[in-house]
Amino acid sequence: MDVACNWHNVLCGKNRVARIFGAQKGASQMQIDLLDRGLQNLAERIVETTSVRVRDISVQNP
């Protein structure tokens, strides 16, 4: 399986990927909020099915 990863930003939280990269890609604040809610929902579904807490995973030095 190939996976695209960002090693420095967590999925949800202060430095969440929607906040960091949404604006960079031209998303409005409303779109960023929607993207963030979707990613939070995805993280919850992953925990339910795999017990892996992807919401908080961050690797400082990959």
Side-chain angles (χ1 to χ4, degrees), residues 37-58:
R37 286 194 304 273
L39 289 170
Q40 288 179 38
N41 184 50
L42 174 62
E44 291 169 13
R45 301 296 80 76
I46 291 171
V47 168
E48 288 174 2
T49 58
T50 68
S51 299
V52 176
R53 291 185 47 88
V54 297
R55 175 185 305 251
D56 306 315
I57 294 174
S58 175

Side-chain angles (χ1 to χ4, degrees), residues 2-60:
D2 292 332
V3 178
C5 298
N6 175 283
W7 295 102
H8 302 287
N9 298 94
V10 293
L11 190 63
C12 305
K14 180 183 175 192
N15 292 322
R16 62 195 186 272
V17 295
R19 180 174 175 231
I20 300 299
F21 297 107
Q24 186 182 80
K25 302 300 181 194
S28 68
Q29 186 59 52
M30 187 178 352
Q31 291 169 323
I32 291 169
D33 293 342
L34 180 63
L35 288 166
D36 191 52
R37 286 194 304 273
L39 289 170
Q40 288 179 38
N41 184 50
L42 174 62
E44 291 169 13
R45 301 296 80 76
I46 291 171
V47 168
E48 288 174 2
T49 58
T50 68
S51 299
V52 176
R53 291 185 47 88
V54 297
R55 175 185 305 251
D56 306 315
I57 294 174
S58 175
V59 178
Q60 297 302 317

